[in-house]
Amino acid sequence: MSFKVNDMAYAYSANNAIKEKGEYGGVVTTIMKYLLEESIVDGVLAVEEGWDLYDAVPTIITDSKDLIKSAGSLHCGTLNLAKILVKYLNGARDMKLAISCKPCDAMAIRELIRKRKIIEDNIILIGVNCGGTMPPIDTIKMIKNVYKMDPNRIVKEEIVKGNLVMTSDEGIEKGIKIDYLEEENLGGRRENCRRCNLKIPLNADLALGNWGVIGDIKGKATFIEICSKKGADIFNKVVDAGFVISQEPSKKGIEIRSKIVNTMLKQSSKQKEKDFKGTTGDILDVLKIYKEELSKCMKCYGCREACPLCYCEDCCLETEGPEWVPGGYTPAAPFFHLTRMVHMADACINCGQCSEVCPSEIPVSKIWATVNEKIRETFQYYSGINNGDIPLPFSEYEDSGSRTIKDKSK
Ligand code: FAD
Ligand code: SF4
C-alpha cells in the first residue's frame, strides 16, 4: 500500500530493542533512525531522560546508535524545541534535521518558518499527540503526597479513561481522576496545557499517538496519521525498507480516537471560558485587569528569554533605551508588557514557557492567551496552525524576509 496525506495506520518498529524502549512501538525513533542512516537528515533533535524521569533534556543526535536513548515519552518535558532550533541550531540553516515535536513545538516552529527564522525545506516534523505536560517539581510532590508513592520508583505515568495512572517498578498501579487533581490543585497538567486546543499535531509532517490503538496491539503500537506530502513520502520509505511494520487501523479505533480528542477539546474550551472570564480580551482591558499582578514584575526578562517566538536579535526593551520611558532605563511594568504584547500578540501559541520561568509567579501565559484568543476571534488567525492561508493580522513578511507593516483597516 502506498500512503498519502490524511491516511492513517497502526505501526510498530521492526527493531526489537527500539520497540521495547519506545513508548508505543518505537515508531518515532525508528523513523529517525532511517532518516539518519539514509543521510536524509544530518541530525535529530529529540528529548532524552536526564537525571531521572522528571528531567527532559533536549539533545541533538547525529549517530543512529545513540537514538535509542531518546525513545519514550517524558511527560514532564515542558520545554519548547522551537527555541532550541532557532537559538542554538541557526534555524536549521546549517543542517537538515528531523525533530520530534509536541503540538506546541510544531506550532512555534510553523510560526517561525513563516517569520523566516527556520528553513522549512531543512526540517522534518515528527509530531506526537499530547494530552498535556506536567510540571516536574509539582509532579514529584504530588506523587509523594497524594499518591503516597516514591517518585524515584515511578516508571510510567499516563492518562487512562480520565485517570492519571502512576506505575512503579514493583508493578504497583494507582490512578486518580485527573479532573479531581486539577480542580483541587493537587497536581496534574500545566495550566496552559489545560487550555490547549491542538491535541494531535496535524501541523507536523506525521502525527503519532496511542489514542485509537485497540485490540491485541494496544500498548505495543502507535496510531499514525499522515499530515503532509513530506510525511507520506517518509512513511512509505520506512515501511518499504522494512524498518516499520504497519497495518490498517480498525474503524472502531478511529472512532475512539476522535471521541477522545473531542472530549479533550471540550475540556479545553471549558478551561478557556474559566480563564478568560470577566475580560473582553482587548489589550488595554487585559492590562487593567492584571494591573496588580503585572506590577509584581521585576523585569528579569525571563519571559522574553524563554519565549520561542520572541526572536529579535536587537530587542527594543534592552536597558539602554528607550529614553521616553519614565523611571530610568528599565521600562515600567505596563510598558514592558505592552511592548511585548504589540510584538507578540498574534504569534503567541500558549506554550506556557513564560509562566514557567516567571520568578514573580505572574500568570503571564494566561494573560497572553487572553489577548491571543481575541486575535483568533477577530482575524481568524491561529498562530502556528493555519499558516500561509490567512495573512498575519498585523504584519506580512515579504519573500526577502523583510517585515512590511500593512494597515488592516483599509
Ligand atoms: P518513541 O519511539 O518512543 O519516540 C518518542 C519521541 O518523543 C522521542 O523522539 C522523544 O525524544 C520524544 N519526546 C519524549 N518526550 C518529549 C517531550 N516532552 N517533548 C518533545 N518530544 C518528546 N499520545 C496520545 O495518543 N495521547 C496522549 O495524551 C499523549 N500525550 C503525550 C504527552 C507527551 C508529553 C508526549 C511526549 C507524548 C504523548 N503522546 C500521547 C504520544 C505517545 O506517548 C508516543 O510518543 C507516540 O505514540 C509515539 O510512540 P513511539 O513509541 O513511536 O515513540
Ligand atoms: Fe516580569 Fe515575570 Fe517576565 Fe521576569 S519573567 S520579566 S518578572 S513577567
Side-chain angles (χ1 to χ4, degrees):
M1 172 182 178
S2 177
F3 292 93
K4 50 189 187 325
V5 179
N6 296 330
D7 279 351
M8 298 172 179
Y10 289 155
Y12 54 90
S13 178
N15 177 310
N16 282 335
I18 296 180
K19 190 176 167 202
E20 189 63 29
K21 169 102 191 324
E23 190 72 10
Y24 292 108
V27 181
V28 173
T29 310
T30 308
I31 294 174
M32 305 293 202
K33 181 176 157 66
Y34 176 85
L35 293 171
L36 265 183
E37 289 178 358
E38 291 299 310
S39 302
I40 296 170
V41 297
D42 307 307
V44 161
L45 176 58
V47 179
E48 63 182 45
E49 192 175 319
W51 184 255
D52 56 25
L53 195 65
Y54 312 97
D55 178 24
V57 183
T59 175
I60 183 91
I61 299 167
T62 51
D63 184 340
S64 69
K65 284 193 231 75
D66 296 332
L67 270 169
I68 196 150
K69 287 189 251 163
S70 69
S73 298
L74 294 165
H75 296 122
C76 292
T78 59
L79 68 185
N80 192 293
L81 291 169
K83 185 82 194 178
I84 290 143
L85 186 53
V86 168
K87 196 164 177 183
Y88 303 109
L89 296 166
N90 199 17
R93 277 175 181 77
D94 311 324
M95 64 196 298
K96 290 197 180 225
L97 290 164
I99 303 153
S100 65
C101 45
K102 302 179 293 303
C104 58
D105 296 313
M107 277 192 267
I109 290 172
R110 288 269 170 232
E111 194 65 20
L112 288 164
I113 287 172
R114 186 146 189 194
K115 290 178 175 163
R116 309 284 193 265
K117 293 289 161 187
I118 292 173
I119 306 298
E120 184 172 19
D121 288 348
N122 286 351
I123 57 165
I124 297 167
L125 298 178
I126 316 288
V128 291
N129 297 355
C130 184
T133 49
M134 301 189 293
I137 303 300
D138 290 349
T139 302
I140 291 173
K141 285 186 192 155
M142 172 188 74
I143 295 169
K144 259 191 217 155
N145 303 334
V146 184
Y147 282 75
K148 310 279 183 216
M149 290 172 91
D150 179 352
N152 297 318
R153 304 205 70 164
I154 299 298
V155 287
K156 198 171 178 72
E157 0 78 30
E158 60 180 338
I159 302 175
V160 185
K161 294 187 178 159
N163 289 303
L164 179 59
V165 181
M166 298 289 159
T167 309
S168 77
D169 56 4
E170 305 147 295
I172 299 168
E173 262 189 24
K174 246 188 217 180
I176 301 181
K177 285 260 168 254
I178 186 127
D179 287 354
Y180 167 76
L181 291 169
E182 291 178 355
E183 273 158 29
E184 298 296 319
N185 260 333
L186 297 170
R189 296 163 303 158
R190 291 153 75 219
E191 62 95 28
N192 60 300
C193 295
R194 297 178 201 181
R195 269 194 304 269
C196 174
N197 57 1
L198 190 66
K199 303 293 178 192
I200 297 181
L202 297 175
N203 53 347
D205 294 305
L206 295 166
L208 297 93
N210 59 314
W211 290 326
V213 181
I214 56 171
D216 294 348
I217 55 168
K218 188 174 175 187
K220 297 179 211 143
T222 190
F223 193 110
I224 179 161
E225 183 164 351
I226 318 281
C227 311
S228 71
K229 276 194 187 152
K230 205 192 268 183
D233 179 47
I234 291 160
F235 193 58
N236 281 316
K237 281 182 175 154
V238 289
V239 172
D240 290 347
F243 274 59
V244 161
I245 292 143
S246 76
Q247 69 183 63
E248 207 181 315
S250 83
K251 216 172 146 218
K252 195 171 167 206
I254 297 174
E255 279 167 19
I256 291 175
R257 177 180 184 252
S258 92
K259 222 169 152 184
I260 297 174
V261 175
N262 286 337
T263 307
M264 295 208 81
L265 292 179
K266 272 189 202 147
Q267 285 168 348
S268 305
S269 299
K270 258 196 198 160
Q271 185 65 42
K272 283 207 263 182
E273 263 173 47
K274 209 162 126 189
D275 289 350
F276 305 155
K277 204 172 164 196
T279 159
T280 61
D282 281 324
I283 289 182
L284 293 178
D285 178 53
V286 170
L287 281 180
K288 193 171 150 208
I289 287 174
Y290 288 102
K291 197 174 163 200
E292 202 178 315
E293 304 252 32
L294 289 172
S295 74
K296 295 177 200 152
C297 174
M298 57 172 84
K299 262 46 81 29
C300 70
Y301 289 70
C303 50
R304 183 195 68 172
E305 289 305 309
C307 177
L309 292 154
C310 217
Y311 56 76
C312 291
E313 275 151 38
D314 294 316
C315 177
C316 63
L317 287 164
E318 287 304 333
T319 48
E320 282 77 15
E323 288 175 11
W324 44 266
V325 173
Y329 289 122
T330 314
F335 277 118
F336 177 78
H337 293 282
L338 188 59
T339 310
R340 285 204 74 229
M341 270 187 199
V342 169
H343 282 214
M344 304 281 311
D346 61 348
C348 176
I349 47 117
N350 182 49
C351 67
Q353 303 299 310
C354 46
S355 289
E356 204 81 35
V357 296
C358 180
S360 304
E361 297 191 0
I362 301 168
V364 214
S365 170
K366 185 162 97 175
I367 298 175
W368 282 98
T370 312
V371 177
N372 186 257
E373 187 73 5
K374 182 79 181 172
I375 303 241
R376 288 178 175 206
E377 275 168 30
T378 312
F379 297 95
Q380 301 301 304
Y381 180 75
Y382 289 72
S383 34
I385 299 177
N386 54 0
N387 284 323
D389 42 356
I390 293 189
L392 285 162
F394 302 139
S395 53
E396 269 306 334
Y397 290 76
E398 288 177 339
D399 285 342
S400 64
S402 64
R403 195 167 191 226
T404 54
I405 307 298
K406 286 196 177 156
D407 185 351
K408 299 281 166 189
S409 61
K410 288 184 186 148

